[in-house]
Amino acid sequence: MRKHIGSILLLISISTAIYFDSLSNDFVHLGDHLQVYENPVIQHLHFENIKVLFTTDMVSMYTPLTGIWYMAIASIFGVTFAMPFHMFSFLLHLINLLLVYFIGYEIELI
């Protein structure tokens, strides 16, 4: 693990440098209004709303896990500000970056 620290820090630094400015951005009207701040289903964490996410398509897409992700963020932070949504998305991307790095190492690509 110790030999990976430099590579991991470099990858995290590059990702942070690229995406840090986006954390202060607002919601985008290309779909965020329908998926997040105008969507009553994700604004309240209830079993019925979770059931709706798994039984219907929201915004012409079947994305129940994304809906649950948004619902969890909205229940903690509300839907007034976009920063928590951007921050958690960025953290999820960092986790994926680390997973891809370690999978690449395990199959000897790195």
Side-chain angles (χ1 to χ4, degrees), residues 9-109:
L9 288 176
L10 179 65
L11 290 171
I12 290 174
S13 298
I14 291 170
S15 297
T16 302
I18 291 170
Y19 290 106
F20 185 75
D21 193 41
S22 71
L23 297 177
S24 62
N25 291 345
D26 203 6
F27 288 113
V28 179
H29 198 70
L30 296 173
D32 288 345
H33 67 291
L34 297 173
Q35 290 182 311
V36 182
Y37 60 89
E38 291 179 4
N39 187 346
V41 174
I42 70 114
Q43 293 183 17
H44 303 288
L45 184 60
H46 298 293
F47 178 74
E48 288 301 316
N49 288 349
I50 294 173
K51 192 167 104 174
V52 167
L53 289 173
F54 279 94
T55 57
T56 61
D57 59 339
M58 303 296 290
V59 195
S60 300
M61 296 181 292
Y62 180 70
T63 56
L65 297 179
T66 303
I68 289 174
W69 181 254
Y70 290 159
M71 189 182 291
I73 297 168
S75 69
I76 296 169
F77 299 102
V79 294
T80 309
F81 302 106
M83 185 177 191
F85 293 90
H86 294 312
M87 179 62 81
F88 280 96
S89 179
F90 174 62
L91 292 175
L92 182 64
H93 282 42
L94 284 180
I95 291 168
N96 286 330
L97 175 111
L98 295 175
L99 287 172
V100 168
Y101 175 83
F102 283 112
I103 289 171
Y105 178 77
E106 285 298 317
I107 60 174
E108 298 178 358
L109 290 176

